[in-house]
Amino acid sequence: MAGSPQDVVHMTRAVELAARGHGHTSPNPVVGCVLLDAAGAVAGEGFHPYAGGPHAEAAALREAGERARGGTAYVTLEPCDHTGRTGPCSRALLRAGVARVVYAVADPNPKASGGAGRLRAAGVEVTGGVLAEEAERVNAEWLTCARLGRPHVTWKLAATLDGRSAAADGTSQWITSPEARADVHRLRARSDAIVAGIGTVLADDPRLTARPALTEGRPLRVVVDPDARTPATARVLDGAAPTLVAVADGTVTSLRADLLRVPRARRGLDLRALLKELAAREVVSVFLEGGPTLAGAFLAEGLVDRVVAYVAPAFLGAGPAALGEAGVRTISEAHRLIFDEVSPIGPDVRLVARPAPPQPSRER
């Protein structure tokens, strides 16, 4: 639903507020709220700041006070109707006497949904679907997890203009600029888990942490290592953040690490099973930094939800490609993307894209 021009203006602000919670609310959603008084003036604003903290509606109601009575609430996610760490927002809006509620996206969580129905039953005017696409995008990680039962996966890659992730001799430090690398650490810090393959661990010995430490003790580090080849001296096991080493069922190892056993698949581990296990550990967002083989396996399984590519203005002409075999046999099977952002970052370019919806087959 498009909504009135006023609805769009205030929901746009609610989406902006929701974005302030990125990296702090997991396993909860990011939510923003704008509250108008009966005369149509902004009386309160709020966003969900951290898991267990006040919901966006509660923060906006607290700011508005008595001015909320007879007013309108704009919320990016349908007000919840359950009691968790905090009380149900639907009832808080009713107690405050709000006359109209406009929300962008229906809550897919069966434990929390139903707020819109409760509000309507109590005589509140409810409008849904306003700026739904924008609100979906700002809350993509949580919505993916709630709907699909697996974490949202962002694949990050750094490459030259000719698609190389390293030179012919294997050197790769540094393809991209300090500015791009700092941006990667910012994105890492906003994620629940950083995932890399054993090939990357053996070749580069990365720490897979966010530097500087923007969040203590996270993100979780996950090594996809079917045969338990991770060296005991690997920096990913340094204790700076928790680490899971995902190994194949039945693998015998003396590695002293927190092991996650996952069924084997044709190409290493069953990645869907891995993601399901991570979701059970309240991992909502995954930052995939594996090499070309692991990235190709995730793409082939349709498990990449966002791509963040840092492209350096350089050519190598030879060396490993940024992406390995990804299940594409012919051009019609190419993994097509939609660009959401193209922006300079230092001397490089950052591209942010998401999978394009499948196109209907054209029969002759």
Side-chain angles (χ1 to χ4, degrees), residues 71-98:
T72 300
Y74 292 89
V75 194
T76 56
L77 185 67
E78 176 188 2
C80 67
D81 195 48
H82 84 304
T83 300
R85 300 186 199 181
T86 61
C89 293
S90 57
R91 302 185 193 192
L93 292 166
L94 289 174
R95 287 195 300 271
V98 171

Side-chain angles (χ1 to χ4, degrees), residues 293-338:
T293 300
L294 186 61
F298 267 87
L299 272 172
E301 291 292 323
L303 296 174
V304 173
D305 303 295
R306 179 189 294 131
V307 177
V308 179
Y310 298 89
V311 181
F315 294 112
L316 287 174
L323 179 64
E325 197 276 310
V328 176
R329 295 165 298 179
T330 183
I331 192 66
S332 63
E333 298 174 350
H335 299 281
R336 302 288 181 178
L337 304 172
I338 296 172

